[in-house]
Amino acid sequence: MPGVFNLSIDEAVKEAEEAVKLGIGGLLLFGLPETKDEDATGAWDDDGIVQRSLRAIKATAPSKELVLIADVCLCEYTSHGHCGIVVEGKDGFEVENDSSLDLLGKTAASLAHAGADIVAPSDMMDGRVGEIRRALDEEGLENTPILSYASKFASAFYGPFREAADSAPQFGDRRSYQMDGANAREAMREIELDLAEGADMILMKPAMPYQDIILAARQRFEIPIGAYQVSGEYSMLQAAFERGWLEPKRAMLESLLGLRRAGSDFIVTYFAKEAAAAL
Ligand code: PBG
Ligand code: ZN
């Protein structure tokens, strides 16, 4: 992805300071561990890469102005690239929902202890918001809010992210836990369930191909709603910019304006620095 890099901790600290100068409100952190294993150890390890980065960023004065959001998922940390624990089932390998919940709860608590202001589960296991809320409360982290990717759709637009994070599933796909793009009503039901389990706000993703879902959620739920313009959405615009087919600044801002108009209160985008400078 042009202009997007995997950062070391010292580089991430500098990036955070630059974000503050540009007037960006917050950062969403993802980790790329040195080694991956079946139990996603790097996700819940108190010395994991995101935990260490959170502590480093929180230790610098300007970065205190940023809201630090930590993605909660296992796929960047598992050797097989799935978002949960994989077991042998009757039809071959399958992602086991319930045993994954324990690790997701542990991951969220570890990230919050390390300094995450908000935890953002993106795994789509059933019951994870409730389990994360329980795990946080049990550790005295009652005040850490949960930003849930409540209606995350299975999508081709995550491709560049998976390449960057080396997290493409080694077998099968994510359709057993991510949602079917044809089903708008299921999205509303998933959001209802997550709110009942204790989600404080939701993040809609992908964004541009699903603006009707953002609008439907906006009309239905009185909670903060964010839109996540994902890696493939960013990359296709960048590809057009490189060819000189679209005017970069105008097209970028128009793509973000659409998300705002659809009802999102905040936007997660790889264009954040350019957009903040332009605005
Ligand atoms: C992890 C996760 C993914 C993204 C955000 N969190 C990848 C996936 O589900 O495969 C995608 C982000 C992007 O494409 O920018 N579950
Ligand atoms: Zn995942």
Side-chain angles (χ1 to χ4, degrees):
M1 295 163 65
V4 177
F5 306 95
N6 290 320
L7 306 175
S8 58
I9 293 176
D10 55 329
E11 288 166 338
V13 168
K14 281 194 204 116
E15 187 85 355
E17 287 168 349
E18 197 188 334
V20 173
K21 278 195 203 118
L22 286 164
I24 290 171
L27 301 179
L28 176 56
L29 277 80
F30 292 90
L32 185 53
E34 243 162 73
T35 55
K36 305 192 184 211
D37 58 33
E38 303 225 319
D39 299 322
T41 308
W44 42 268
D45 183 353
D46 290 336
D47 275 319
I49 186 71
V50 175
Q51 284 84 346
R52 283 161 53 209
S53 309
L54 284 164
R55 286 193 287 265
I57 294 172
K58 278 287 177 196
T60 65
S63 308
K64 294 211 169 68
E65 288 171 40
L66 288 170
V67 175
L68 298 185
I69 309 174
D71 184 79
V72 176
C73 197
L74 306 183
C75 57
E76 295 122 68
Y77 308 92
T78 50
S79 39
H80 45 68
H82 276 290
C83 303
I85 295 299
V86 167
V87 294
E88 223 166 322
K90 55 181 177 352
D91 305 316
F93 291 109
E94 54 186 54
V95 176
E96 195 173 63
N97 194 91
D98 293 7
S99 59
S100 305
L101 296 182
D102 183 46
L103 293 185
L104 291 163
K106 231 166 117 172
T107 300
S110 170
L111 292 164
H113 275 310
D117 299 303
I118 298 174
V119 291
S122 67
D123 54 283
M124 290 300 280
M125 299 300 132
D126 290 332
R128 78 226 200 267
V129 173
E131 175 58 24
I132 287 173
R133 187 69 271 158
R134 201 196 54 72
L136 290 171
D137 292 355
E138 199 178 275
E139 304 248 338
L141 298 159
E142 296 90 346
N143 293 329
T144 303
I146 299 174
L147 167 61
S148 171
Y149 298 70
S151 65
K152 178 174 172 181
F153 291 94
S155 172
F157 288 93
Y158 306 142
F161 173 97
R162 290 182 190 170
E163 198 191 315
D166 196 17
S167 66
Q170 303 291 300
F171 53 85
D173 56 41
R174 298 209 209 290
R175 273 181 271 194
S176 68
Y177 42 101
Q178 296 183 352
M179 290 184 23
D180 177 354
N183 204 340
R185 286 188 197 132
E186 189 190 10
M188 297 305 117
R189 174 138 182 75
E190 287 282 350
I191 296 169
E192 259 158 32
L193 287 170
D194 277 18
L195 294 177
E197 284 178 34
D200 299 284
M201 43 201 152
I202 56 173
L203 190 53
M204 310 298 281
K205 143 184 187 183
M208 288 154 66
Y210 295 89
Q211 300 200 36
D212 57 320
I213 308 284
I214 299 174
L215 181 60
R218 174 74 291 153
Q219 289 167 339
R220 197 155 164 162
F221 303 108
E222 297 293 332
I223 41 149
I225 296 178
Y228 186 161
Q229 186 181 50
V230 301
S231 58
E233 303 177 53
Y234 171 82
S235 298
M236 70 181 178
L237 286 166
Q238 285 289 1
F241 301 162
E242 271 172 24
R243 285 171 174 74
W245 288 350
L246 291 173
E247 243 180 88
K249 189 171 153 190
R250 277 186 63 203
M252 167 189 74
L253 289 176
E254 198 173 330
S255 75
L256 299 173
L257 182 64
L259 303 180
R260 189 81 177 91
R261 202 178 52 239
S264 43
D265 301 303
F266 60 97
I267 298 174
V268 176
T269 173
Y270 298 93
F271 284 120
K273 287 196 285 183
E274 290 82 356
L279 291 168

